[in-house]
Amino acid sequence: MSKIGKLPIALPQGVTVNVAGQVISVKGPKGELKQDFGKLVKVEVKDGNIVLTPSDSSQNANAAHGLYRSLIHNMVIGVTQGFSKTLVVTGVGYRSEVQGKNLVMNLGYSTEFIAVIPEGLTVTVDKEGKITVAGIDKQQVGEYCAQIRKLRKPEPYKGKGIRYDNEVIRRKVGKTGVK
């Protein structure tokens, strides 16, 4: 049995959970999320907690037990608090701005990059070059940030590019010339 899967998920005030067949829906003050959990686990709501149990003792059921417990826990946190990630744009002339439903970035190339902001996410850009992506779905927030970062990964010599706020870039020493 999974160590993570054994832990019950406490439901905060204002969160309702509905289990219908193989789909669980979590509704809270920030919105609603749905997740299909398959036949490897059983989901029950007892005494204000969500309890997951594996359907059998196979290795796949044990792995799915911990996985779906984490996914459902992230859904509960998402509909109550939400998730956010911050990206930092560093470089001379590098800038970004939100225009309607698009994130427009100038990253040192001759053309601008335009990234469409998906439904359910909010993107804000401040004057220091920080892009904040917020939403209720942790997977969607992480995937969108990864796609933005992929446009111009940080390079190790000058540190230019797009990096996460808490990411540390190991800097390299450049060539010193002929001795």
Side-chain angles (χ1 to χ4, degrees):
M1 220 173 171
S2 170
K3 291 180 184 179
I4 294 173
K6 285 190 232 179
L7 303 172
I9 303 167
L11 291 176
Q13 291 287 344
V15 176
T16 59
V17 176
N18 185 16
V19 180
Q22 302 298 318
V23 177
I24 184 168
S25 65
V26 179
K27 193 172 192 177
K30 292 202 176 236
E32 182 178 8
L33 292 172
K34 293 184 180 185
Q35 175 71 43
D36 183 16
F37 57 86
K39 296 179 181 179
L40 295 173
V41 293
K42 296 174 188 164
V43 178
E44 298 174 304
V45 180
K46 295 181 183 176
D47 302 326
N49 290 328
I50 301 174
V51 179
L52 280 81
T53 55
S55 60
D56 55 27
S57 62
S58 69
Q59 187 174 4
N60 288 338
N62 285 339
H65 186 213
L67 169 73
Y68 287 116
R69 191 266 178 205
S70 295
L71 291 176
I72 294 170
H73 180 68
N74 287 340
M75 290 168 62
V76 171
I77 291 174
V79 297
T80 56
Q81 301 168 5
F83 294 99
S84 69
K85 284 192 174 201
T86 304
L87 297 164
V88 179
V89 180
T90 308
V92 177
Y94 289 18
R95 59 186 170 273
S96 58
E97 63 180 340
V98 176
Q99 295 177 352
K101 284 295 212 175
N102 295 327
L103 176 64
V104 180
M105 294 173 286
N106 191 344
L107 300 174
Y109 296 111
S110 60
T111 60
E112 294 179 332
F113 287 101
I114 299 173
V116 178
I117 300 170
E119 194 69 34
L121 292 183
T122 57
V123 177
T124 57
V125 178
D126 66 357
K127 293 183 181 180
E128 289 111 30
K130 290 189 177 185
I131 302 170
T132 304
V133 180
I136 62 172
D137 190 355
K138 186 175 185 178
Q139 295 170 341
Q140 190 179 24
V141 170
E143 180 64 29
Y144 187 70
C145 287
Q147 289 175 357
I148 291 173
R149 184 182 182 275
K150 191 168 60 172
L151 295 175
R152 187 75 171 204
K153 290 184 180 176
E155 55 99 10
Y157 295 102
K158 293 183 180 178
K160 298 189 314 182
I162 302 173
R163 64 177 175 86
Y164 292 109
D165 191 27
N166 58 359
E167 183 179 14
V168 176
I169 304 298
R170 289 187 54 201
R171 301 292 291 271
K172 291 183 179 179
V173 178
K175 293 182 180 179
T176 57
V178 179
K179 291 185 178 182

mmCIF file of all heavy atoms in Angstrom, residues 87-89 96 103 105 107 113 115-118 121 123 131-133 141-153 161-164:
data_model
loop_
_atom_site.group_PDB
_atom_site.id
_atom_site.type_symbol
_atom_site.label_atom_id
_atom_site.label_comp_id
_atom_site.label_asym_id
_atom_site.label_seq_id
_atom_site.Cartn_x
_atom_site.Cartn_y
_atom_site.Cartn_z
ATOM 1 N N LEU A 87 7.909 33.568 -13.364
ATOM 2 C CA LEU A 87 9.032 33.478 -14.281
ATOM 3 C C LEU A 87 9.721 34.835 -14.345
ATOM 4 O O LEU A 87 9.058 35.873 -14.284
ATOM 5 C CB LEU A 87 8.552 33.088 -15.686
ATOM 6 C CG LEU A 87 7.883 31.730 -15.813
ATOM 7 C CD1 LEU A 87 7.121 31.641 -17.116
ATOM 8 C CD2 LEU A 87 8.907 30.635 -15.759
ATOM 9 N N VAL A 88 11.043 34.830 -14.472
ATOM 10 C CA VAL A 88 11.812 36.064 -14.549
ATOM 11 C C VAL A 88 12.458 36.135 -15.924
ATOM 12 O O VAL A 88 13.150 35.204 -16.345
ATOM 13 C CB VAL A 88 12.894 36.115 -13.450
ATOM 14 C CG1 VAL A 88 13.705 37.390 -13.555
ATOM 15 C CG2 VAL A 88 12.270 35.999 -12.083
ATOM 16 N N VAL A 89 12.230 37.261 -16.628
ATOM 17 C CA VAL A 89 12.824 37.490 -17.946
ATOM 18 C C VAL A 89 14.046 38.380 -17.741
ATOM 19 O O VAL A 89 13.919 39.505 -17.268
ATOM 20 C CB VAL A 89 11.816 38.151 -18.906
ATOM 21 C CG1 VAL A 89 12.441 38.386 -20.249
ATOM 22 C CG2 VAL A 89 10.570 37.295 -19.039
ATOM 23 N N SER A 96 8.285 41.701 -21.862
ATOM 24 C CA SER A 96 7.052 40.966 -22.103
ATOM 25 C C SER A 96 5.889 41.812 -21.622
ATOM 26 O O SER A 96 6.035 42.647 -20.733
ATOM 27 C CB SER A 96 7.077 39.617 -21.379
ATOM 28 O OG SER A 96 7.264 39.809 -20.007
ATOM 29 N N LEU A 103 0.205 36.731 -24.525
ATOM 30 C CA LEU A 103 1.422 37.179 -23.869
ATOM 31 C C LEU A 103 2.436 37.430 -24.972
ATOM 32 O O LEU A 103 2.820 36.505 -25.684
ATOM 33 C CB LEU A 103 1.927 36.116 -22.888
ATOM 34 C CG LEU A 103 3.243 36.393 -22.183
ATOM 35 C CD1 LEU A 103 3.111 37.618 -21.279
ATOM 36 C CD2 LEU A 103 3.680 35.197 -21.376
ATOM 37 N N MET A 105 6.129 38.598 -26.147
ATOM 38 C CA MET A 105 7.479 38.676 -25.592
ATOM 39 C C MET A 105 8.489 39.003 -26.669
ATOM 40 O O MET A 105 8.441 38.444 -27.762
ATOM 41 C CB MET A 105 7.846 37.345 -24.935
ATOM 42 C CG MET A 105 7.015 37.021 -23.734
ATOM 43 S SD MET A 105 7.315 35.384 -23.101
ATOM 44 C CE MET A 105 6.488 34.407 -24.333
ATOM 45 N N LEU A 107 12.348 38.611 -27.124
ATOM 46 C CA LEU A 107 13.403 37.840 -26.458
ATOM 47 C C LEU A 107 14.727 37.863 -27.220
ATOM 48 O O LEU A 107 15.475 36.890 -27.201
ATOM 49 C CB LEU A 107 12.940 36.393 -26.262
ATOM 50 C CG LEU A 107 11.680 36.218 -25.425
ATOM 51 C CD1 LEU A 107 11.244 34.769 -25.418
ATOM 52 C CD2 LEU A 107 11.895 36.723 -24.019
ATOM 53 N N PHE A 113 7.532 36.821 -29.874
ATOM 54 C CA PHE A 113 6.831 35.581 -29.576
ATOM 55 C C PHE A 113 5.473 35.939 -29.005
ATOM 56 O O PHE A 113 5.358 36.798 -28.144
ATOM 57 C CB PHE A 113 7.597 34.746 -28.545
ATOM 58 C CG PHE A 113 8.829 34.093 -29.099
ATOM 59 C CD1 PHE A 113 10.077 34.632 -28.852
ATOM 60 C CD2 PHE A 113 8.734 32.947 -29.847
ATOM 61 C CE1 PHE A 113 11.206 34.039 -29.352
ATOM 62 C CE2 PHE A 113 9.855 32.337 -30.364
ATOM 63 C CZ PHE A 113 11.113 32.883 -30.110
ATOM 64 N N ALA A 115 2.330 34.111 -27.140
ATOM 65 C CA ALA A 115 1.828 32.913 -26.484
ATOM 66 C C ALA A 115 0.383 33.173 -26.059
ATOM 67 O O ALA A 115 0.113 34.104 -25.306
ATOM 68 C CB ALA A 115 2.684 32.572 -25.267
ATOM 69 N N VAL A 116 -0.529 32.362 -26.562
ATOM 70 C CA VAL A 116 -1.940 32.504 -26.229
ATOM 71 C C VAL A 116 -2.155 32.017 -24.799
ATOM 72 O O VAL A 116 -1.688 30.945 -24.414
ATOM 73 C CB VAL A 116 -2.817 31.700 -27.211
ATOM 74 C CG1 VAL A 116 -4.276 31.798 -26.835
ATOM 75 C CG2 VAL A 116 -2.597 32.185 -28.630
ATOM 76 N N ILE A 117 -2.843 32.809 -24.000
ATOM 77 C CA ILE A 117 -3.119 32.450 -22.603
ATOM 78 C C ILE A 117 -4.326 31.516 -22.582
ATOM 79 O O ILE A 117 -5.406 31.881 -23.054
ATOM 80 C CB ILE A 117 -3.393 33.711 -21.759
ATOM 81 C CG1 ILE A 117 -2.177 34.636 -21.798
ATOM 82 C CG2 ILE A 117 -3.745 33.330 -20.332
ATOM 83 C CD1 ILE A 117 -2.407 35.994 -21.200
ATOM 84 N N PRO A 118 -4.174 30.287 -22.058
ATOM 85 C CA PRO A 118 -5.290 29.339 -22.047
ATOM 86 C C PRO A 118 -6.417 29.786 -21.124
ATOM 87 O O PRO A 118 -6.212 30.584 -20.205
ATOM 88 C CB PRO A 118 -4.665 28.046 -21.527
ATOM 89 C CG PRO A 118 -3.210 28.251 -21.527
ATOM 90 C CD PRO A 118 -2.955 29.708 -21.531
ATOM 91 N N LEU A 121 -6.438 30.418 -16.884
ATOM 92 C CA LEU A 121 -5.197 30.955 -16.344
ATOM 93 C C LEU A 121 -5.219 32.472 -16.406
ATOM 94 O O LEU A 121 -5.789 33.061 -17.328
ATOM 95 C CB LEU A 121 -3.979 30.459 -17.133
ATOM 96 C CG LEU A 121 -3.629 28.987 -17.040
ATOM 97 C CD1 LEU A 121 -2.359 28.705 -17.831
ATOM 98 C CD2 LEU A 121 -3.444 28.549 -15.605
ATOM 99 N N VAL A 123 -2.472 35.701 -16.351
ATOM 100 C CA VAL A 123 -1.061 36.041 -16.493
ATOM 101 C C VAL A 123 -0.907 37.533 -16.250
ATOM 102 O O VAL A 123 -1.626 38.339 -16.848
ATOM 103 C CB VAL A 123 -0.538 35.660 -17.901
ATOM 104 C CG1 VAL A 123 0.906 36.070 -18.070
ATOM 105 C CG2 VAL A 123 -0.701 34.172 -18.143
ATOM 106 N N ILE A 131 6.919 37.477 -14.808
ATOM 107 C CA ILE A 131 5.652 36.990 -15.344
ATOM 108 C C ILE A 131 5.063 36.053 -14.299
ATOM 109 O O ILE A 131 5.692 35.074 -13.911
ATOM 110 C CB ILE A 131 5.855 36.229 -16.664
ATOM 111 C CG1 ILE A 131 6.540 37.115 -17.699
ATOM 112 C CG2 ILE A 131 4.542 35.698 -17.185
ATOM 113 C CD1 ILE A 131 6.994 36.357 -18.933
ATOM 114 N N THR A 132 3.847 36.349 -13.833
ATOM 115 C CA THR A 132 3.176 35.513 -12.843
ATOM 116 C C THR A 132 2.004 34.811 -13.512
ATOM 117 O O THR A 132 1.121 35.463 -14.069
ATOM 118 C CB THR A 132 2.685 36.353 -11.655
ATOM 119 O OG1 THR A 132 3.793 37.063 -11.107
ATOM 120 C CG2 THR A 132 2.080 35.470 -10.586
ATOM 121 N N VAL A 133 2.017 33.490 -13.455
ATOM 122 C CA VAL A 133 0.955 32.670 -14.028
ATOM 123 C C VAL A 133 0.189 32.047 -12.868
ATOM 124 O O VAL A 133 0.788 31.394 -12.010
ATOM 125 C CB VAL A 133 1.532 31.568 -14.944
ATOM 126 C CG1 VAL A 133 0.424 30.730 -15.535
ATOM 127 C CG2 VAL A 133 2.387 32.165 -16.039
ATOM 128 N N VAL A 141 -0.978 25.156 -14.969
ATOM 129 C CA VAL A 141 -0.058 26.243 -14.634
ATOM 130 C C VAL A 141 1.378 25.831 -14.938
ATOM 131 O O VAL A 141 2.146 26.566 -15.565
ATOM 132 C CB VAL A 141 -0.213 26.663 -13.155
ATOM 133 C CG1 VAL A 141 0.900 27.607 -12.732
ATOM 134 C CG2 VAL A 141 -1.557 27.309 -12.920
ATOM 135 N N GLY A 142 1.759 24.635 -14.511
ATOM 136 C CA GLY A 142 3.118 24.147 -14.734
ATOM 137 C C GLY A 142 3.444 23.954 -16.199
ATOM 138 O O GLY A 142 4.544 24.292 -16.657
ATOM 139 N N GLU A 143 2.509 23.427 -16.969
ATOM 140 C CA GLU A 143 2.732 23.195 -18.393
ATOM 141 C C GLU A 143 2.889 24.507 -19.153
ATOM 142 O O GLU A 143 3.756 24.637 -20.006
ATOM 143 C CB GLU A 143 1.585 22.378 -18.981
ATOM 144 C CG GLU A 143 1.711 22.085 -20.462
ATOM 145 C CD GLU A 143 2.905 21.219 -20.809
ATOM 146 O OE1 GLU A 143 3.327 20.413 -19.968
ATOM 147 O OE2 GLU A 143 3.429 21.368 -21.921
ATOM 148 N N TYR A 144 2.059 25.501 -18.840
ATOM 149 C CA TYR A 144 2.147 26.790 -19.527
ATOM 150 C C TYR A 144 3.470 27.485 -19.197
ATOM 151 O O TYR A 144 4.120 28.041 -20.092
ATOM 152 C CB TYR A 144 0.956 27.673 -19.154
ATOM 153 C CG TYR A 144 0.885 28.949 -19.955
ATOM 154 C CD1 TYR A 144 0.554 28.919 -21.306
ATOM 155 C CD2 TYR A 144 1.159 30.178 -19.379
ATOM 156 C CE1 TYR A 144 0.498 30.077 -22.051
ATOM 157 C CE2 TYR A 144 1.099 31.336 -20.112
ATOM 158 C CZ TYR A 144 0.769 31.285 -21.451
ATOM 159 O OH TYR A 144 0.723 32.443 -22.190
ATOM 160 N N CYS A 145 3.896 27.418 -17.939
ATOM 161 C CA CYS A 145 5.183 28.018 -17.559
ATOM 162 C C CYS A 145 6.342 27.313 -18.260
ATOM 163 O O CYS A 145 7.301 27.966 -18.690
ATOM 164 C CB CYS A 145 5.376 27.955 -16.049
ATOM 165 S SG CYS A 145 4.345 29.107 -15.156
ATOM 166 N N ALA A 146 6.271 25.997 -18.389
ATOM 167 C CA ALA A 146 7.328 25.253 -19.075
ATOM 168 C C ALA A 146 7.394 25.633 -20.549
ATOM 169 O O ALA A 146 8.488 25.744 -21.126
ATOM 170 C CB ALA A 146 7.103 23.755 -18.920
ATOM 171 N N GLN A 147 6.243 25.856 -21.187
ATOM 172 C CA GLN A 147 6.239 26.260 -22.591
ATOM 173 C C GLN A 147 6.831 27.648 -22.777
ATOM 174 O O GLN A 147 7.553 27.896 -23.743
ATOM 175 C CB GLN A 147 4.816 26.224 -23.145
ATOM 176 C CG GLN A 147 4.276 24.837 -23.320
ATOM 177 C CD GLN A 147 2.817 24.836 -23.747
ATOM 178 O OE1 GLN A 147 2.193 25.880 -23.868
ATOM 179 N NE2 GLN A 147 2.278 23.649 -23.970
ATOM 180 N N ILE A 148 6.540 28.568 -21.843
ATOM 181 C CA ILE A 148 7.108 29.913 -21.933
ATOM 182 C C ILE A 148 8.625 29.855 -21.721
ATOM 183 O O ILE A 148 9.392 30.477 -22.450
ATOM 184 C CB ILE A 148 6.448 30.859 -20.907
ATOM 185 C CG1 ILE A 148 5.001 31.109 -21.304
ATOM 186 C CG2 ILE A 148 7.190 32.181 -20.821
ATOM 187 C CD1 ILE A 148 4.226 31.887 -20.274
ATOM 188 N N ARG A 149 9.073 29.094 -20.733
ATOM 189 C CA ARG A 149 10.505 28.992 -20.437
ATOM 190 C C ARG A 149 11.276 28.390 -21.602
ATOM 191 O O ARG A 149 12.415 28.748 -21.874
ATOM 192 C CB ARG A 149 10.718 28.149 -19.184
ATOM 193 C CG ARG A 149 12.168 28.059 -18.746
ATOM 194 C CD ARG A 149 12.301 27.175 -17.521
ATOM 195 N NE ARG A 149 13.666 27.113 -17.054
ATOM 196 C CZ ARG A 149 14.584 26.271 -17.542
ATOM 197 N NH1 ARG A 149 14.272 25.422 -18.505
ATOM 198 N NH2 ARG A 149 15.798 26.271 -17.054
ATOM 199 N N LYS A 150 10.632 27.473 -22.325
ATOM 200 C CA LYS A 150 11.278 26.797 -23.444
ATOM 201 C C LYS A 150 11.582 27.748 -24.602
ATOM 202 O O LYS A 150 12.458 27.474 -25.421
ATOM 203 C CB LYS A 150 10.377 25.646 -23.914
ATOM 204 C CG LYS A 150 11.029 24.707 -24.889
ATOM 205 C CD LYS A 150 10.214 23.446 -25.106
ATOM 206 C CE LYS A 150 8.851 23.736 -25.641
ATOM 207 N NZ LYS A 150 8.119 22.529 -26.044
ATOM 208 N N LEU A 151 10.883 28.886 -24.670
ATOM 209 C CA LEU A 151 11.121 29.838 -25.761
ATOM 210 C C LEU A 151 12.527 30.409 -25.718
ATOM 211 O O LEU A 151 13.122 30.679 -26.758
ATOM 212 C CB LEU A 151 10.093 30.974 -25.700
ATOM 213 C CG LEU A 151 8.649 30.578 -25.944
ATOM 214 C CD1 LEU A 151 7.744 31.773 -25.727
ATOM 215 C CD2 LEU A 151 8.470 30.007 -27.329
ATOM 216 N N ARG A 152 13.070 30.634 -24.512
ATOM 217 C CA ARG A 152 14.433 31.159 -24.378
ATOM 218 C C ARG A 152 14.982 30.695 -23.037
ATOM 219 O O ARG A 152 14.862 31.382 -22.039
ATOM 220 C CB ARG A 152 14.410 32.684 -24.464
ATOM 221 C CG ARG A 152 15.759 33.337 -24.502
ATOM 222 C CD ARG A 152 16.401 33.172 -25.865
ATOM 223 N NE ARG A 152 17.603 33.983 -25.938
ATOM 224 C CZ ARG A 152 18.127 34.417 -27.053
ATOM 225 N NH1 ARG A 152 17.571 34.125 -28.214
ATOM 226 N NH2 ARG A 152 19.218 35.124 -27.044
ATOM 227 N N LYS A 153 15.576 29.496 -23.016
ATOM 228 C CA LYS A 153 16.121 28.951 -21.783
ATOM 229 C C LYS A 153 17.290 29.817 -21.309
ATOM 230 O O LYS A 153 18.005 30.401 -22.125
ATOM 231 C CB LYS A 153 16.593 27.521 -21.991
ATOM 232 C CG LYS A 153 15.468 26.546 -22.196
ATOM 233 C CD LYS A 153 15.983 25.135 -22.301
ATOM 234 C CE LYS A 153 14.842 24.166 -22.506
ATOM 235 N NZ LYS A 153 15.318 22.809 -22.706
ATOM 236 N N GLY A 161 17.776 35.043 -20.505
ATOM 237 C CA GLY A 161 16.736 34.083 -20.831
ATOM 238 C C GLY A 161 15.581 34.165 -19.856
ATOM 239 O O GLY A 161 15.430 35.128 -19.112
ATOM 240 N N ILE A 162 14.752 33.114 -19.871
ATOM 241 C CA ILE A 162 13.583 33.038 -18.992
ATOM 242 C C ILE A 162 13.845 31.917 -17.996
ATOM 243 O O ILE A 162 14.127 30.791 -18.384
ATOM 244 C CB ILE A 162 12.297 32.748 -19.788
ATOM 245 C CG1 ILE A 162 12.076 33.826 -20.845
ATOM 246 C CG2 ILE A 162 11.105 32.666 -18.867
ATOM 247 C CD1 ILE A 162 10.929 33.536 -21.771
ATOM 248 N N ARG A 163 13.745 32.249 -16.706
ATOM 249 C CA ARG A 163 13.959 31.260 -15.664
ATOM 250 C C ARG A 163 12.842 31.370 -14.637
ATOM 251 O O ARG A 163 12.148 32.377 -14.572
ATOM 252 C CB ARG A 163 15.310 31.456 -14.992
ATOM 253 C CG ARG A 163 15.452 32.766 -14.254
ATOM 254 C CD ARG A 163 16.794 32.884 -13.542
ATOM 255 N NE ARG A 163 16.953 34.185 -12.945
ATOM 256 C CZ ARG A 163 16.507 34.523 -11.743
ATOM 257 N NH1 ARG A 163 15.875 33.640 -11.008
ATOM 258 N NH2 ARG A 163 16.681 35.748 -11.278
ATOM 259 N N TYR A 164 12.694 30.293 -13.838
ATOM 260 C CA TYR A 164 11.751 30.334 -12.736
ATOM 261 C C TYR A 164 12.299 31.252 -11.649
ATOM 262 O O TYR A 164 13.507 31.459 -11.538
ATOM 263 C CB TYR A 164 11.503 28.941 -12.161
ATOM 264 C CG TYR A 164 10.761 28.025 -13.112
ATOM 265 C CD1 TYR A 164 11.398 26.969 -13.730
ATOM 266 C CD2 TYR A 164 9.423 28.232 -13.380
ATOM 267 C CE1 TYR A 164 10.726 26.135 -14.603
ATOM 268 C CE2 TYR A 164 8.734 27.403 -14.249
ATOM 269 C CZ TYR A 164 9.391 26.359 -14.855
ATOM 270 O OH TYR A 164 8.720 25.542 -15.718
#
